[in-house]
Structure formats: C-alpha cells, structure tokens
Amino acid sequence: MSNKRITKRSEDYTQWYLDVIEAAELAEHSIVRGCMVIKPHGYAIWENIQKVLDKKIKDTGHKNAYFPLFVPKSTMNKEAAHVKGFAKECAIVTHYRLKDAGEGKGVVVDPEAKLQDELIVRPTSEAIMYETFSTWIQSWRDLPLLINQWANIVRWEMRTRLFLRTTEFLWQEGHTVHATHKESEQEVFKMLNVYKDVVENYLAIPVYAGKKSKVESFPGAIRTYSIEALMQDGKALQSGTSHDLGDNFSKAFNIKFADKDGEIKHPWQTSWGLSTRIIGGLIMSHSDDKGLVLPPKITPIQVVIIPVFATENREQVVGKAMECKKELEKENIPVEVDDREYETVGSKFNEWEKKGIPVRIEIGTKEIEENKATLVSRINSEKTQVSTEHLVDEVKKLLENIQKELFNRAKERLESQTYEVEDYEEFKDVIKNKGGFVRAFWCENEECEATIKDETKATTRVLPFDAKEESGKCIYCGKEAKYKWLFALAY
Ligand SMILES: [Zn+2]
C-alpha cells in the first residue's frame, strides 16, 4: 500500500488524478510505453461495468462474438475515409518470424519472413468484421445482424495518460447490419441511450447526448452521436459513441442482400463503443482530495467492516464482524472484513478511503455492548450508529443515498458549469477562465470550427438532442446560425 500523500486537486489536477490511481491501486504504467497494467481493483471496476453493459447489450437483442486481432492491410484499405482516419495510429506487423543472430546475440527479425499482406493490429474492427459479414448476409432473412465484441484495441498514442489515453485499451464494439436506414438509425439512438443509462444510472455521471460535428465524427461514418460528461476540472470527456455508418461500409465491403421485393441491395450499418476510458471519467467525476470515490452500483466492494479490537477481545469482535458480513451477503451486498492484525485501525481507514469503498462499518467493544454498529459514509465522512438489528436496511439506505448524492453533485456541476455566451469575446473568456461547457451559436462551417479550436483549444462537443432551432449569428463569423452547439476543452 502506497503511503504517498495525494496531491490536492487545487494544487495540480493532473497529478491528483495520477495520485488517486496509484493510491487506490487501480493501474500503473507498464514497461511498454503507453500501455498500462490494470491492477485487480481497477479491473474489478471494469468487470462490473462489463457486467451491467453486457446484460443491456444482450437484452436489446445483440450477441457476443470474437474476431481476429489483425486486419490485413488490403482489407483495411477498402474504405478510404476510414483507413485515412486511423492511419497515423496504426501498429503494423510486417514479419512473422525471428532468427538466431549468432552466438550470444539473441534474435533478430528474419528478413526472409516478410508478410506479403501486412497486418494491422486492430484500431477498431469495422474492416475485419464487415469482410466476414459479406459472407454471412445474403437475404433479408439474415437481417438484422446484431453483433457485439469485447476486445482490446491498439491506437498508437504519442501522449498517453492512464485510462484516458493508452496505446492499448479495452472496450466493447457493437456492429449491426439492417435492411433499411430507418432501422439502423433507430439502432444508433437505442445504443446511445443504453450508454447514457449505464453512465448516468450506474456510474452516476450525468451527460449531454447529441450529434457530433462532421470533423469530430468517426472516420467513415455519415454521422456520429456521443455522450459527453464534465470532469471536475471543467474539461469534457467523450464517454461513449454511436455511429450511423449509412451504406458506406456495405458498399466498400460488398455486403449485399436480396430484399423481400427481390431486389439486391446494400444494407445499412451501425457501430458503437465504450472503453476503459470511462474509468478515467469515473475517477475524475467523483473522487476527492482523500482519494477515489466509487458509486455503490459500480464498486467491487460496497462495504468494508473494520473490527476494532485488542489482542484479548479479538475473537469476539471479529466474530461479530463476520456475523454482520453474513447478514449483508444474504442481501447480495459485496462486503469485506479487514481483520489484519499487522495494520493499525487508522491505516485501514485510510486505505479503504483511498480505494473509494462507499460505506465503512466500525465494530468495537462499545458497539458490541450496545448491540450497535457505526456506519461511515465515504462521501461526507458522516458517522451514524445503528442497531445491528437494522444494519442491513440502514446500509442499503445509505448506499442508495450515496448513489443519488454522487449523481446530484455531478449534475449540479454540469448544469452550473454550462454557460450561454453571446459573442466570441465572452466565449474565449469562459473557456479560459471558467471551463465547463459553452453553449453558443455556430454556423456549422468547418473553417469556423477549426479556427475556434486553434485559438481557444475548445472543440465542438455535441449538438444536444434537445437543442431548439433558433435564429442567431455564429459567434465566430457572424453568419446565420440555427443552433447552439456545446463547446468545451476536452480530454
Ligand atoms: Zn461561422
């Protein structure tokens, strides 16, 4: 357990983020530059996200499958915009064998073993999957095809940060094929809503949902939609994306089906993804200067029981703690008893606080005498004594309150840090001095978007679904604009 002090958010937000990850033992840098090791506590969080999301993906009719890690370069090349969009981040396998370099020199690449068609380590799986889909789909009876894959992805990153941007990361990617564009469009919105549901109701992170600008869209898609969250430092985090691929890929990969009317048609496709990046968002949404804070619905451990004992009453106190554990487990509350003798009570409090466990239960001699337990909330350190008879109910109530409170705090932050601006001067001022989301008229011209980005580093995040058509002037060029878009500095 690291005893390093956690940097305060107000001192250095970036360092605070890294300190929280280290103190909570979530992940660390590996010997491979840009790639991380996800440690057990961090991986358990990912497993819980997977569990919740996987169920919703299956409940909406999708099936899991697995495709190769490698994409032949010739296959990747079939959709021009797509391959160009990922070109700068691709890792390529050029050889398939090493050879002995001679005495004591280890091995070198065998130049004889050069691949004819080089293999790209998947930066996403459209190409490899759709090549296969073209053999699976012949008739309208084969549609819709609803596939999801849990996998790792490689995008060569020059500037990396644990969870938020790593060269290799974990995600799920959904890929679906439909007979009509109307149907594939519905799918795009349905899955964006699944993401919104998981991120808001389980991770307690409120988001804006909407359409991305063309420049910010997925390479090869006709439209991209995303959910955008706000971190405590006022920066946005794209937290899940859903793409309307139109018939771009089905044309490029020659996917065809005989429709009910007997005509041969290209089907309509979607893809959507959510990655381990969301764990970075989870950390930055809720954690505080004491360390990680985890929402009850996503934490691997909801309750930690700390028996406060001396050598002479250890057995009795730990026994009582174990009884409480059993009661809580009957109600499916994941709980751990920390009865280690070599750690002080104070350092145990500290450790579980840093790991973000929502509820701590303290049980000592006094509690046993009075048939009580002391509950402590991770989010406000409030202590309450409850009779052990009502322990389970009180713990459940406290967990529910913490879940709600975390969402409400984040929601309050999102709303109070969304600013309406009238002109570019005000826009620059808010981005520079306040952060958060800025709602502003934009003419949807790419040049304005690029110049705003150059001058302020702020990017268009989304045109929110609930944006009303208005009549206004683009904050940059002053030309006619219909909608107020959300802008922000983003991770
Ligand atoms: Zn403009």
Side-chain angles (χ1 to χ4, degrees):
M1 184 70 206
S2 132
N3 282 317
K4 205 179 107 185
R5 178 183 154 266
I6 294 174
T7 306
K8 285 193 166 61
R9 283 165 291 181
S10 56
E11 283 170 23
D12 181 345
Y13 193 82
T14 305
Q15 192 55 48
W16 165 81
Y17 173 73
L18 296 173
D19 288 353
V20 169
I21 291 174
E22 186 184 334
E25 299 183 274
L26 297 179
E28 62 189 35
H29 296 286
S30 73
I31 55 164
V32 184
R33 201 184 152 272
C35 294
M36 65 177 166
V37 174
I38 306 177
K39 297 169 89 171
H41 192 39
Y43 199 74
I45 295 170
W46 179 239
E47 285 180 312
N48 279 352
I49 295 171
Q50 279 187 308
K51 215 181 287 171
V52 172
L53 183 54
D54 193 63
K55 180 165 187 331
K56 287 180 190 289
I57 288 171
K58 286 173 180 158
D59 286 350
T60 43
H62 307 82
K63 289 198 165 77
N64 286 338
Y66 189 79
F67 285 74
L69 168 68
F70 304 115
V71 190
K73 197 171 76 186
S74 57
T75 304
M76 192 77 186
N77 255 323
K78 288 189 177 178
E79 215 291 334
H82 182 62
V83 70
K84 272 186 200 153
F86 285 102
K88 286 184 182 161
E89 333 175 276
C90 284
I92 301 123
V93 180
T94 54
H95 292 77
Y96 58 86
R97 194 166 62 212
L98 300 171
K99 67 171 191 178
D100 201 327
E103 228 168 295
K105 287 188 187 142
V107 288
V108 288
V109 170
D110 183 350
E112 306 276 299
K114 194 167 163 29
L115 286 171
Q116 285 303 315
D117 191 0
E118 292 166 347
L119 298 173
I120 294 168
V121 183
R122 63 179 164 217
T124 179
S125 299
E126 276 75 8
I128 187 75
M129 285 193 179
Y130 302 169
E131 187 78 51
T132 309
F133 287 180
S134 71
T135 68
W136 288 2
I137 295 165
Q138 272 98 41
S139 133
W140 59 270
R141 292 177 199 87
D142 302 321
L143 300 176
L145 179 63
L146 308 171
I147 297 293
N148 177 62
Q149 158 168 285
W150 290 96
N152 58 341
I153 287 294
V154 169
R155 293 181 189 170
W156 216 260
E157 295 281 358
M158 300 320 272
R159 296 172 56 119
T160 59
R161 197 177 307 175
L162 293 173
F163 291 113
L164 293 173
R165 204 167 282 279
T166 49
T167 295
E168 181 190 15
F169 59 89
L170 305 180
W171 78 349
Q172 61 67 222
E173 49 183 320
H175 295 267
T176 69
V177 192
H178 307 261
T180 66
H181 193 207
K182 196 177 161 204
E183 198 185 302
S184 68
E185 269 185 318
Q186 282 169 353
E187 167 79 9
V188 168
F189 297 129
K190 185 197 282 174
M191 297 324 285
L192 192 74
N193 266 325
V194 165
Y195 290 153
K196 187 170 190 280
D197 175 17
V198 170
V199 171
E200 292 196 329
N201 297 322
Y202 292 81
L203 280 72
I205 307 174
V207 292
Y208 285 118
K211 183 175 82 169
K212 304 289 286 186
S213 75
K214 206 163 171 26
V215 171
E216 298 283 332
S217 290
F218 182 74
I222 61 170
R223 259 179 294 278
T224 288
Y225 301 88
S226 78
I227 50 171
E228 302 277 331
L230 184 67
M231 304 296 102
Q232 294 176 28
D233 63 345
K235 279 195 196 168
L237 182 81
Q238 181 174 294
S239 306
T241 50
S242 189
H243 316 294
D244 179 349
L245 303 178
D247 58 1
N248 286 349
F249 285 84
S250 71
K251 282 178 178 157
F253 288 90
N254 202 25
I255 308 173
K256 284 188 268 188
F257 73 104
D259 206 351
K260 285 177 186 168
D261 57 15
E263 260 183 71
I264 304 294
K265 296 173 185 170
H266 287 292
W268 302 82
Q269 293 182 268
T270 83
S271 68
W272 27 275
L274 181 138
S275 75
T276 36
R277 198 167 196 235
I278 196 69
I279 297 177
L282 186 68
I283 298 163
M284 288 195 292
S285 276
H286 307 305
S287 304
D288 58 24
D289 289 343
K290 289 191 281 187
L292 186 65
V293 172
L294 291 171
K297 283 193 187 174
I298 221 69
T299 180
I301 303 164
Q302 289 184 326
V303 177
V304 60
I305 305 177
I306 315 253
V308 184
F309 53 79
T311 319
E312 60 274 16
N313 67 354
R314 181 178 190 276
E315 209 173 310
Q316 188 197 15
V317 178
V318 172
K320 182 77 184 172
M322 290 300 180
E323 267 174 46
C324 293
K325 180 180 189 240
K326 248 186 222 161
E327 290 303 308
L328 293 165
E329 278 175 342
K330 272 188 211 159
E331 294 291 310
N332 296 318
I333 296 170
V335 50
E336 209 152 288
V337 173
D338 187 350
D339 60 352
R340 290 174 296 173
E341 281 181 83
Y342 56 88
E343 288 288 355
T344 65
V345 168
S347 69
K348 286 180 188 176
F349 287 178
N350 226 324
E351 180 175 336
W352 293 105
E353 211 161 56
K354 285 177 180 171
K355 286 192 166 164
I357 308 311
V359 174
R360 178 171 88 220
I361 301 180
E362 301 169 13
I363 295 174
T365 321
K366 189 165 158 280
E367 276 89 359
I368 291 178
E369 271 166 20
E370 297 172 1
N371 219 9
K372 283 181 174 162
T374 302
L375 307 189
V376 187
S377 159
R378 171 63 184 88
I379 62 169
N380 54 20
S381 304
E382 251 174 46
K383 286 192 177 200
T384 41
Q385 287 221 318
V386 301
S387 88
T388 36
E389 204 184 324
H390 300 125
L391 180 69
V392 174
D393 287 341
E394 293 294 333
V395 166
K396 277 189 186 169
K397 225 190 287 173
L398 183 54
L399 288 168
E400 260 170 52
N401 285 341
I402 293 174
Q403 183 76 31
K404 255 187 243 160
E405 176 65 17
L406 286 176
F407 180 79
N408 290 342
R409 280 184 191 180
K411 179 93 177 163
E412 213 276 316
R413 195 175 66 236
L414 181 79
E415 281 167 2
S416 68
Q417 291 190 56
T418 300
Y419 305 94
E420 297 263 340
V421 303
E422 295 306 319
D423 58 47
Y424 193 47
E425 287 311 307
E426 204 185 341
F427 181 97
K428 284 193 282 193
D429 178 58
V430 173
I431 291 293
K432 191 167 174 234
N433 300 313
K434 292 185 181 157
F437 284 104
V438 178
R439 219 186 264 278
F441 278 115
W442 168 48
C443 65
E444 302 184 18
N445 178 309
E446 283 169 24
E447 263 171 56
C448 288
E449 187 182 19
T451 320
I452 292 171
K453 186 179 176 183
D454 272 354
E455 292 181 3
T456 67
K457 295 198 174 80
T459 47
T460 56
R461 300 319 303 161
V462 285
L463 172 62
F465 288 131
D466 58 4
K468 288 185 202 74
E469 188 173 334
E470 295 173 77
S471 163
K473 301 255 179 292
C474 172
I475 49 149
Y476 192 77
C477 68
K479 282 186 192 146
E480 198 63 37
K482 279 189 199 157
Y483 292 104
K484 281 183 176 160
W485 283 66
L486 285 171
F487 290 78
L489 298 177
Y491 277 98

